[in-house]
Amino acid sequence: MASSATVGLKCPSPMKATSNGLFQGDNPLDFALPLAVLQICLVVVLTRGLAFLLRPLRQPRVIAEIIGGILLGPSVMGRSNSYLQAIFPAKSLTVLDTLANIGLIFFLFLAGLEIDPKALRRTGKTALAIAIAGIGLPFALGIGSSFLLRATISKGVNSSAFLVFMGVALSITAFPVLARILAELKLLTTDIGRMAMSAAAVNDVAAWILLALAVALSGSTSSPVVSLWVFLSGCGFVICLTLVVPLIFKWMARRCHDGEPVEEVYICATLAAVLAAGFVTDAIGIHAMFGGFVVGVLFPKEGPFAHALVEKVEDLVSGLFLPLYFVSSGLKTNIATIQGLQSWGLLALVIFTACFGKIVGTLVVSLSCKVPLHEAVALGFLMNTKGLVELIVLNIGKDRKVLNDQTFAIMVLMALVTTFITTPVVMAVYKPARIKMDYKYRTIERKNLDSQLRILACFHSARNIPSMINLFEASRGVQKRKGLSVYAMHLMELSERSSAILMVHKARKNGLPFWNKGRRSDSDHVVVAFEAFRQLSQVTVRSMTSISSMADMHEDICATAESKRAAIIILPFHKHQRMDGSLETTRTDFRWVNKRVLEHAPCSVGILVDRGLGGTTHVSASNVSCLITVLFFGGRDDREALAYGARMAEHPGISLNIIRFVVEPETIGEIATIDVQENSSLKTMSMDEEFLSEFKKIQKNDSVRYEEKAVRNASETIAAIRGAGRCNLYLVGRMPEGELALALRRRTECPELGPVGSLLISPDFSTTASVLVIQQDHGNVSPNLDPDMEEESPDKDSESS
């Protein structure tokens, strides 16, 4: 339903759809289509820009959209009458509101898809008590504050409707916004997250029922009989949908199979059903969005049908149509109407009342249910989340003349403030206790060579899979050992999409990524690839998915490595190889993820620069023919690289070439002017000699070749590396030690790869070999990263994993 125009008293003349163009004397802004396109582009650019600016504060996108709507309205830019008449003239508001409400119908359908009625029936007593307290106390306080508002700034409004609207506005918890905040904070699948989601789902359903009552009471007629008929008809319509809709959609879902595209007729029928339900609820006298929401709640959640539907609808709705609703709301919000001490005092009172009711009500009930204090406080603030649902309530109240301009502006600011404070307060109050696991094998270098090697391999996309599998094949070792255990983690960025929340539910458990042993889709090509590798090599690869923001993706990686007792984390380099052989940046954010993992990892770390290791497909064990070169300068990282190479050399198809660089005796002390602590250097040399001595005793394999090269300076070192010959994979330590390594460090371009790794990927070093740069577990000592990289990178966590 279109909102009433807020500019001017005269009914504007209708606009024609399209213009003849500037060259024929038409102003495109006088026609509906070009003006609507301009409005959409302006809204999308502004809201996305604000969302980018607010991302470091970890605010949900709804905050940016509310602020963007206010900025475009009469509060800021709309103070210029010429701007308002040109971009948002009164005659364009009908088209704008119609598009906004179509988007709203489909968004509420998507919001309904996130609510599972079966889960509601399983809601525990604690979550149910929190939901009741989170509705009851704020509703009562809302009614109480409505008397004060009616006596001051809201005189002459429909009293019964105003009471209910104020109660609903203060008691709402925005379920979709809460889900995104919890997912962003990685609390969605923790105990507190599940409790908050269960309580919010109950709260959401109760709020829609109360809102339906408020809409029925706020009709233009004063007869209570009409309001009763509206409410009863709405209840009857919901009952009819409950009986019919699930049967039809389950019939469709049974005909949609994994790995096959969903038929277009089913998608179109569902979208038409959503619009039809919206038409019926609007005809009854309730907002059209109710129909879309009810269809979404009743829609079957299992199977590929729901996923395909969300995939096709969400980007268009959330990206283009829904922001128009925030502009429509912003055009009705004029903060300038909040004038004088009384108005600002009422704003502070409403914010305090909203926070007090939700937080105190939730806190008291949580403590009585023996929920710890810090969890109870966090729950209170989480349940205080407002957002789009709040704006819907307020806009309906404004359109129905229940809320005047001043009251509407106060309530919009209240919704903005309460949602804005949620994330920082929860982050400050609630920090989940992370149990530090103590396990023995955090490195590949170890005394017991028969112990199992555990690898956590991360990948960004399917492009990384073939090389990763070939690396697993090379790492198998020999049959007499306890073997190889591999966990493959798909790194995905958390988005604002509804499907992202559904994916988080499936991919996380107790706040961490986990190996899902349940049903898998045969269409998942990653799982199929790993299963094929298992059948060929008898090595099980357990796949999991990490869905989190780029800023804290490293926490998932490090926590999973610790929980799975991994000896090494293997990360893909942030650049991939192009067809011409050069390296192209995949995404700069992945570089900072790698950097943080190097800093906080509980075990060794390897960064793989992939140049097609073993080709683009998995090579079977009998066909493996691979030459691996270890460049050994000295130090613990180089020892770790050599230990990994030694394990690979046990594979019958792999040859290992070890090149140790030593300084010619007459040039010792002349290569580098950098001061090296003598004791530390001697200790490192002693450990290197001891390690190499043990290695030579164990390795009696003809496939292992060891040589020493004496060099005098960095230039000779580089020349020796160039002359090392062709190979398939270089294994190097990230921070080699010794005078030669110190001289090479001056040439480091990628600090995360170290001097030798940076040299091997530089454009002037021609090689087709992949490079695996390894950093041995450094305990609590921070790795030596370049100061420039430290300054450029976003703020890092103060806590070490």
Side-chain angles (χ1 to χ4, degrees), residues 15-19 28 30-40 95:
M15 302 177 78
K16 289 184 179 179
T18 56
S19 72
D30 291 336
F31 296 83
L33 179 63
L35 183 58
V37 169
L38 177 64
Q39 290 169 344
I40 292 172
V95 174

Side-chain angles (χ1 to χ4, degrees), residues 338 342-352 409-410 413-414:
I338 307 175
Q342 183 192 64
S343 295
W344 287 104
L346 288 171
L347 172 62
L349 175 68
V350 168
I351 292 173
F352 174 78
I410 286 173
L413 289 181
M414 179 272 292

Side-chain angles (χ1 to χ4, degrees), residues 13 45 113 132 184 394 407 486 499:
S13 57
V45 169
L113 275 175
I132 293 170
E184 175 75 20
L394 299 178
T407 309
V486 179
S499 57

Side-chain angles (χ1 to χ4, degrees), residues 704-751:
V704 178
R705 179 170 166 266
Y706 175 85
E707 65 174 307
E708 290 188 0
K709 289 201 174 182
V711 291
R712 288 178 292 182
N713 51 42
S715 299
E716 285 192 12
T717 306
I718 294 170
I721 294 173
R722 288 183 193 276
R726 296 178 64 85
C727 68
N728 301 99
L729 175 68
Y730 281 105
L731 280 176
V732 298
R734 183 179 158 266
M735 295 303 293
E737 298 176 25
E739 292 189 58
L740 287 171
L742 288 171
L744 286 174
R745 284 188 196 180
R746 297 170 181 170
R747 303 167 185 269
T748 302
E749 295 177 7
C750 295

